[in-house]
Amino acid sequence: MGFNVIVGGYFSIKRVMESIPMDIWIKAEDAARFCEAVLLYFRDNGSRGDRQKARLIWLIEDMGMEGFRQAISDKYDEMFPKKKGGAAIPAQPEPWAVAAGTNTPTQPHKKRDILGVHSQKQEGLSWVGINVPAGRILPDEAMALADIADKYSQGEIRLTVEQNVIFPNVNNTKVSELLQEPLFNIGHYFIPKTDKDFPLSRGLVSCTGSQFCGVALIETKNRAIELSKRLEEELKVDMPVRIHWTGCPNSCGQAQVADIGLMGGPARVEKEIDGKVKKVAVEGVNIFLGGKVGEDPFLGEVYKKGVPADYKYLIPIMKDILKEKFGAMEK
């Protein structure tokens, strides 16, 4: 069991790019050591003169991938002599890329749904995936989640990249009891029963936004939750659609990898001031479409810029996108 390594992914105001293969495979037990070696090498050798270039990809491009790979392998051997050679194993074929024991390509790996109740390979156990809309967890809710983990999953909680929560190793005899926990029945968190429940909220991701971030250009989390709720009330969507919000071009919410990405930016609307119609600045979004994660990742492209973030402007555009690109229909 181990991992092929990809590096250099980059979101910023000036540049975005996908991660690139390093042609290294790391044993699972050595993953933390490998990451430490990469971080320390970058700390000592990365650019510090230009904040825009204080990212790993710039160091890789300066050195070339072959030189960077060798430098990391040497650093790893220096730091962990008992594990010498552990960072020099070539990348391995992905198990979903070819049929077991053959060189025959299989079907493309499909992104799996992890929300709801799923049987584990361990007999008698299940994992339960909980949706946390836009990833916002308040202090009392965090305490409640911890208590539920102690009660049902031996104190273990797993947090997903889509800002949701998984309780693993739940005894099948306790699943129904977990589903009845008050926290999951107050209208905020929810546990989908099918992969079509809450098609927009289940994959909703958002950065902190201007409510708590001084860099963000717009408020995101509250707006993201409300917009998805309204769209789900008005549209029938038969497939999950991943919507990501980010408050500024730094893209902490990773708008470029979503099916639909919304990035905070300037917008203007016409408004009557002193008897004259003028264009005034308001909170707005740039909309990205077509992002993809997984086996064949792809960064989405700008679909429309300068859309006012007010619902009366945003909802009609989002409806059009969902109908045209994702087969949505009015209820």
Side-chain angles (χ1 to χ4, degrees), residues 26-94:
I26 294 293
K27 293 180 181 179
E29 65 194 60
D30 295 332
R33 298 184 184 92
F34 178 81
C35 291
E36 183 180 358
V38 173
L39 289 170
L40 291 181
Y41 187 83
F42 176 58
R43 180 198 67 184
D44 296 338
N45 297 278
S47 173
R48 292 293 179 270
D50 182 349
R51 183 178 178 184
Q52 292 298 325
K53 292 189 176 183
R55 302 291 287 271
L56 187 61
I57 187 59
W58 294 96
L59 179 60
I60 294 170
E61 290 179 342
D62 286 344
M63 300 179 65
M65 180 55 81
E66 185 176 346
F68 178 74
R69 183 169 52 245
Q70 185 61 54
I72 296 301
S73 180
D74 293 343
K75 181 70 173 178
Y76 183 90
D77 290 347
E78 173 191 328
M79 293 176 62
F80 309 107
K82 292 183 179 180
K83 293 283 186 175
K84 189 172 183 178
I89 304 171
Q92 303 297 300
E94 290 85 354

Side-chain angles (χ1 to χ4, degrees), residues 251-300:
S251 204
C252 296
Q254 301 181 345
Q256 295 93 334
V257 304
D259 296 324
I260 305 173
L262 299 99
M263 177 183 291
R268 290 181 177 276
V269 298
E270 290 186 347
K271 187 175 182 180
E272 185 173 334
I273 301 176
D274 298 330
K276 296 181 179 180
V277 176
K278 298 181 180 181
K279 288 190 174 182
V280 297
V282 295
E283 289 192 349
V285 296
N286 298 329
I287 300 176
F288 292 75
L289 296 181
K292 184 181 177 183
V293 295
E295 185 178 8
D296 297 307
F298 182 79
L299 296 180

Side-chain angles (χ1 to χ4, degrees), residues 73-120:
S73 180
D74 293 343
K75 181 70 173 178
Y76 183 90
D77 290 347
E78 173 191 328
M79 293 176 62
F80 309 107
K82 292 183 179 180
K83 293 283 186 175
K84 189 172 183 178
I89 304 171
Q92 303 297 300
E94 290 85 354
W96 57 82
V98 295
T102 75
N103 291 319
T104 305
T106 62
Q107 294 296 317
H109 181 69
K110 292 184 178 180
K111 191 174 188 297
R112 295 170 294 174
D113 181 67
I114 61 172
L115 297 181
V117 180
H118 298 264
S119 296
Q120 295 182 195

Side-chain angles (χ1 to χ4, degrees), residues 116-180:
V117 180
H118 298 264
S119 296
Q120 295 182 195
K121 64 181 181 181
Q122 295 87 356
E123 186 175 352
L125 298 179
S126 294
W127 88 73
V128 182
I130 314 295
N131 179 256
V132 183
R136 173 154 284 174
I137 300 175
L138 300 178
D140 59 334
E141 296 168 347
M143 293 297 294
L145 288 170
D147 290 341
I148 291 169
D150 285 339
K151 187 175 180 181
Y152 298 101
S153 58
Q154 296 79 53
E156 184 174 355
I157 297 177
R158 299 182 185 181
L159 307 180
T160 78
V161 295
E162 292 182 330
Q163 299 181 326
N164 293 317
V165 170
I166 294 174
F167 294 99
N169 305 315
V170 178
N171 192 296
N172 288 344
T173 62
K174 294 288 187 179
V175 169
S176 294
E177 185 179 341
L178 185 153
L179 299 182
Q180 296 305 313

